[in-house]
Amino acid sequence: MNDDTPVRDAELTVGATARLIGVSVRTLHHWDDVGLVRPSERTSAGYRVYTAPDIERLHRVLTYREVGFELQQIRGLLDDPDADAMAHLRRQRRLIDERIARLQRMATAVDTMMEAKTMGIQLTPQEQREVFGDDWLGDEYEAEAQERWGDSDAWRQSEQRAARYTKDDWKRIKDETDALEADLAAALADGAPAGGARANALAERHRAEIERFYDCSHEMQCCLAEMYVADERFRKHYDDVAPGLAQYLHDVITANAAASA
């Protein structure tokens, strides 16, 4: 088929439609064959073309497919005589919001797992869920943490020290970590400056939290501070507690380290 075949302004050839919505021509042909989306018009040369309503239907197909529906289910939804265009849009928006929320919960769980793995958590998957919540992803992300820190003295220390902690110890550590993050967020909201007495005390609490697992000098703590702002997962973890908290924690740590030098 020649994509240069003249068509009306509101119509698109198969090739142009494929480029517009980001699928292959073969996919469009398949959807045509199964009756999911059929081009409504033809050019004077007999080529089939998609109209604006056809393109709208294609976008609905893409949305439903993205959230996990099979083609047969999608066809049933689109051909529902009781559903109008706004009903479809509301349904699709709800499904997208649900998927976004699910992905955000997974991302938060990954952040928590990555940070915990640097500290050598030794709980069973069931115990991890009890301590850290239902979105905890077990050992799925251990390989990345092992690759990044596995050869370090800090990693070996953390595994040795963490092996001694009980489930109750981990619950206490989780509660204390949450309390520290809440106090950091409050200091940020109050405008407590990095380098001030309140911020320095929080930086030392943070360093004491880390030293449960491995020896943490001010220099080591500054390396962690850089990771909190450079790694999007850590940044998101802290910024989800309070917007700007990752950068504030970085500044608090580095200012305290400079004053302690």
Side-chain angles (χ1 to χ4, degrees):
M1 176 176 177
N2 183 354
D3 285 342
D4 295 329
T5 302
V7 296
R8 292 184 287 273
D9 289 343
E11 298 170 347
L12 291 173
T13 63
V14 175
T17 301
R19 290 192 295 272
L20 175 68
I21 68 170
V23 300
S24 68
V25 169
R26 182 177 180 180
T27 294
L28 291 181
H29 283 317
H30 176 63
W31 291 354
D32 183 0
D33 291 340
V34 300
L36 185 59
V37 185
R38 286 177 170 156
S40 298
E41 303 291 341
R42 290 183 181 271
T43 67
S44 57
Y47 293 116
R48 305 189 74 175
V49 291
Y50 291 87
T51 63
D54 297 334
I55 301 298
E56 183 177 344
R57 184 176 173 102
L58 284 168
H59 282 299
R60 291 176 185 169
V61 170
L62 290 175
T63 302
Y64 282 129
R65 191 176 67 164
E66 179 67 22
V67 295
F69 284 84
E70 297 179 357
L71 295 185
Q72 184 175 358
Q73 294 174 297
I74 295 172
R75 181 178 176 181
L77 288 168
L78 296 184
D79 293 338
D80 180 359
D82 296 326
D84 58 19
M86 285 302 297
H88 279 298
L89 290 173
R90 285 192 292 269
R91 179 190 291 123
Q92 290 177 324
R93 178 54 189 260
R94 185 181 70 253
L95 292 169
I96 290 170
D97 287 343
E98 289 172 357
R99 184 173 186 188
I100 289 171
R102 184 168 63 253
L103 291 174
Q104 287 176 334
R105 289 194 300 271
M106 292 177 65
T108 299
V110 171
D111 294 341
T112 307
M113 188 67 179
M114 287 296 302
E115 188 161 14
K117 280 301 179 183
T118 70
M119 301 174 181
I121 285 189
Q122 300 295 325
L123 299 177
T124 67
Q126 176 63 31
E127 290 172 328
Q128 291 173 20
R129 284 191 295 273
E130 291 177 13
V131 174
F132 296 102
D134 291 337
D135 288 327
W136 188 255
L137 298 183
D139 290 333
E140 184 174 348
Y141 294 92
E142 182 173 7
E144 183 177 344
Q146 179 81 37
E147 182 178 351
R148 292 177 67 176
W149 297 291
D151 292 333
S152 67
D153 290 339
W155 178 273
R156 287 186 286 272
Q157 281 184 346
S158 71
E159 291 213 312
Q160 292 170 359
R161 295 180 188 180
R164 300 193 297 266
Y165 293 148
T166 66
K167 184 168 67 173
D168 287 340
D169 290 331
W170 285 113
K171 289 180 179 179
R172 176 176 49 79
I173 291 169
K174 174 72 163 54
D175 289 342
E176 291 177 1
T177 300
D178 289 345
L180 173 60
E181 291 178 357
D183 289 346
L184 282 162
L188 171 62
D190 293 343
R198 181 178 177 184
N200 286 346
L202 289 169
E204 288 302 318
R205 278 177 62 188
H206 173 274
R207 194 162 68 91
E209 292 271 340
I210 301 300
E211 287 203 317
R212 287 194 178 101
F213 306 99
Y214 55 84
D215 297 342
C216 184
S217 64
H218 287 103
E219 182 180 1
M220 171 69 78
Q221 190 184 20
C222 286
C223 291
L224 293 174
E226 293 298 328
M227 182 176 66
Y228 295 157
V229 293
D231 190 309
E232 287 301 319
R233 293 164 295 191
F234 285 101
R235 178 184 285 273
K236 183 179 184 303
H237 168 78
Y238 287 109
D239 287 354
D240 281 349
V241 176
L245 186 60
Q247 186 64 53
Y248 181 68
L249 177 57
H250 168 277
D251 295 346
V252 164
I253 289 172
T254 54
N256 180 63
S260 302

